[in-house]
Amino acid sequence: MKQPLVADDPMLHGVIPYPAEFAERYLADGFWGRRTLDRVLRETAMRRGAHPAVIDEERVISYAELISRIDVSQATLSARGINAGDRVIIHVPNVLEFFDAVYAVISLGAIPVFAVHSHRASELEHLARSSEAEMLITSSRIPGVDPQEFCAELANRLPLLSVVYAEDLYEQGLDLLAAGREVSRAGCPRPAHAAAFLQLSGGTTGRPKLIPKTHRDYAYSFERSAQICNLDDGTVYLSGIPLAHNFAASSPGYMGVFATGGTVVCALDGSAERIFSLIAEHRVTVVAAVPPLALAWLNSSQKHRYDLSSWQLLQVGGAKLSRGVAERITPELGCALQQVFGMAEGLVCYTRLDDDPETVVSTQGKPMCVADEVLVLDSAGTPVPDGTPGNLWVRGPYTFRGYYNNPQANAECFTPDGFYGSGDIVVRDARGYLTVVGRTKDVINRGGEKISPEQIEAVLLRNPAVHDVSVVGVPDEALGERTHAYVVPRDRTTPTRAKILRAWMRTEHLAEHHIPDVITIVGELPKTHIGKISRNTLRPGATSPQGEA
Ligand code: AMP
Ligand code: DBH
């Protein structure tokens, strides 16, 4: 039977359907297949049953064992009244039970809503309300959280939400089955053209928005990513960022690994010591990180203590990787670098494994799919020539067509013909490679001079006394905005001083307006929930990176 072009799915209400001619082409050209996310995993398990799928500390779980854990966990969810179409928030860190939870929910035909484990009651309340969730699956292993206090606060805010520990899903399911209870599979699997889950947009302002992804568009995204990243059944993958984030899920992420039959190693945090020791112990081949993590690993004295010889590829994405930092990765960590520019909303760009070193350190790659349509437009909506910065707009087989239940955001973010405006300012070269030069909202207007904070940050990062830096614009009576650099020194005992940095910048042949008006030395920079630096928090009047995933 032919696959439907559009899904009659309440999770996709408010979403602009793909015009029939696009949907037909995506099906005909094979971008959209029939496999659901759980099917992908189950098919791999049929051929790779005994191979380790997940390693979490001393637990090594084969594909066959993972499938049986998922089936047993599904029994618990059914017994607790979860049905097809129900929304279930996943609030679980990078541990084995994350997979039990995600795939049990999906196998039931229910809809995971991906929180990150650093979310607390306030963000979760918003998520639960906006997704109309029935259940939240949390974990007793979230660093820094007292589970009892956390659950009490949730119950206070959301008395009707059922809260379950991921660690109990499997154990309770075993008890149910041992007691001979008839456990029905209340749900029914969703078809490939229906929404598989809700992902969070990072959202640099306000609260995160919900992005529905269909099985078929997501499966395309991670299968194509796995191809580009050369994953195979010998791949051992480790993510320094939460698995719940789109990057670690699909670019190629754990789903890409499960599609090709490799192994995912769980890291509860991204500290240099933990990451290096896991790489050495499990002969990890591929690691994913955001730039602040990559920087911390580069500057860690631990890197010489471990055997990192298995490490083939470090993927860095999520925020701009400064060229100076990019250039250090292969010489200092011994692995190849791949830049990944992606968004939970869709488009993902990669530098390719056979790109020349200059392309790898200086660009954020090119779109992964030949059917990705990228427009680079000026503010009037006119295409700019290659080599000129402009706003990025995108449409394609795995780029979403609208937020869940959010007509206002949809009206703002899409052109009438379905291009999504990401808010990124990019330069495209003649080959189609993109370099991200900033975000529309981050550009500093200093007396009419448009300044990209990334440009100043890149200069300061070249100074050996600087560990990390973030630059923001602050209101100024005379100039409109002035530049403020927050600098984390490498040596915290005798930190560098603002005056010295400013004098050094003057020797770097910079225009005077690129020298920060104010430099503040700080102990650390505020981060978003997945570890990107939060410029919003540094701006005057801000209190916390709330709302940024
Ligand atoms: P999110 O909305 O959390 O999915 O974040 C997506 C946004 O992160 C993109 O629109 C970019 O602004 C930013 N981003 C992701 N990867 C990169 C990268 N490699 N370089 C620069 N910015 C990036
Ligand atoms: O930042 C992101 O959202 C991101 C980065 C790299 C992403 O969603 C992705 C790759 O898929």
Side-chain angles (χ1 to χ4, degrees), residues 60-404:
V60 179
I61 303 296
S62 70
Y63 275 92
E65 287 167 319
L66 182 59
I67 296 297
S68 98
R69 291 183 66 94
I70 291 165
D71 289 342
V72 170
S73 301
Q74 193 179 325
T76 308
L77 292 176
S78 282
R80 287 179 168 255
I82 293 300
N83 292 307
D86 288 348
R87 266 76 78 202
V88 178
I89 297 176
I90 309 286
H91 181 245
V92 183
N94 295 6
V95 296
L96 167 63
E97 288 78 8
F98 173 85
F99 305 102
D100 299 346
V102 171
Y103 284 96
V105 171
I106 290 178
S107 295
L108 264 178
I111 309 281
V113 182
F114 286 103
V116 270
H117 62 270
S118 52
H119 283 143
R120 296 292 175 264
S122 155
E123 291 99 348
L124 294 169
E125 178 180 358
H126 163 74
L127 253 191
R129 292 192 193 285
S130 55
S131 65
E132 297 140 341
E134 298 284 335
M135 179 184 273
L136 178 137
I137 304 179
T138 184
S139 163
S140 56
R141 286 175 70 195
I142 302 179
V145 168
D146 174 340
Q148 268 168 2
E149 232 173 75
F150 171 73
C151 287
E153 179 59 25
L154 269 184
N156 189 19
R157 290 169 182 253
L158 297 158
L160 296 181
L161 184 74
S162 135
V163 178
V164 179
Y165 283 104
E167 289 79 8
D168 291 341
L169 289 176
Y170 180 60
E171 297 303 326
Q172 289 184 0
L174 285 179
D175 291 346
L176 284 171
L177 296 170
R181 241 190 74 196
E182 185 64 27
V183 184
S184 73
R185 288 198 172 192
C188 63
R190 297 168 70 75
H193 60 276
F197 58 80
L198 294 172
Q199 179 72 268
L200 294 197
S201 84
T204 45
T205 50
R207 300 287 203 154
K209 300 183 275 284
L210 298 170
I211 303 164
K213 291 295 206 149
T214 64
H215 287 277
R216 64 186 180 188
D217 81 70
Y218 214 60
Y220 172 74
S221 169
F222 62 73
E223 286 177 345
R224 174 69 183 135
S225 298
Q227 224 173 29
I228 288 175
C229 301
N230 241 345
L231 298 199
D232 60 25
D233 55 16
T235 297
V236 183
Y237 173 87
L238 174 65
S239 171
I241 59 177
L243 293 166
H245 189 266
N246 196 56
F247 180 13
S250 67
S251 298
Y254 69 88
M255 290 205 190
V257 175
F258 289 162
T260 41
T263 304
V264 177
V265 175
C266 298
L268 208 46
D269 63 56
S271 65
E273 177 132 39
R274 188 183 298 270
I275 296 295
F276 293 156
S277 65
L278 288 172
I279 294 173
E281 187 181 348
H282 301 294
R283 308 291 299 157
V284 168
T285 58
V286 179
V287 181
V290 284
L293 279 183
L295 196 55
W297 301 343
L298 279 170
N299 289 343
S300 160
S301 57
Q302 301 287 322
K303 68 185 172 207
H304 304 296
R305 287 191 42 216
Y306 294 94
D307 171 8
L308 304 179
S309 58
S310 60
W311 191 357
Q312 294 166 8
L313 185 68
L314 171 59
Q315 302 185 283
V316 183
K320 175 78 177 206
L321 179 65
S322 162
R323 181 190 176 112
V325 179
E327 281 171 342
R328 293 175 54 197
I329 286 172
T330 300
E332 294 186 33
L333 297 176
C335 55
L337 164 68
Q338 178 181 54
Q339 298 215 36
V340 191
F341 165 43
M343 50 199 74
E345 286 82 356
L347 179 70
V348 183
C349 301
Y350 293 98
T351 56
R352 303 303 201 257
L353 303 188
D354 57 358
D355 276 341
D356 60 276
E358 176 59 25
T359 300
V360 174
V361 298
S362 65
T363 80
Q364 277 66 59
K366 65 176 176 184
M368 68 168 154
C369 176
V370 290
D372 282 324
E373 300 168 80
V374 169
L375 300 176
V376 186
L377 306 178
D378 66 17
S379 48
T382 312
V384 300
D386 287 345
T388 311
N391 299 314
L392 176 71
W393 294 83
V394 61
R395 179 169 75 175
Y398 62 95
T399 292
F400 84 140
R401 305 276 301 184
Y403 294 104
Y404 174 62

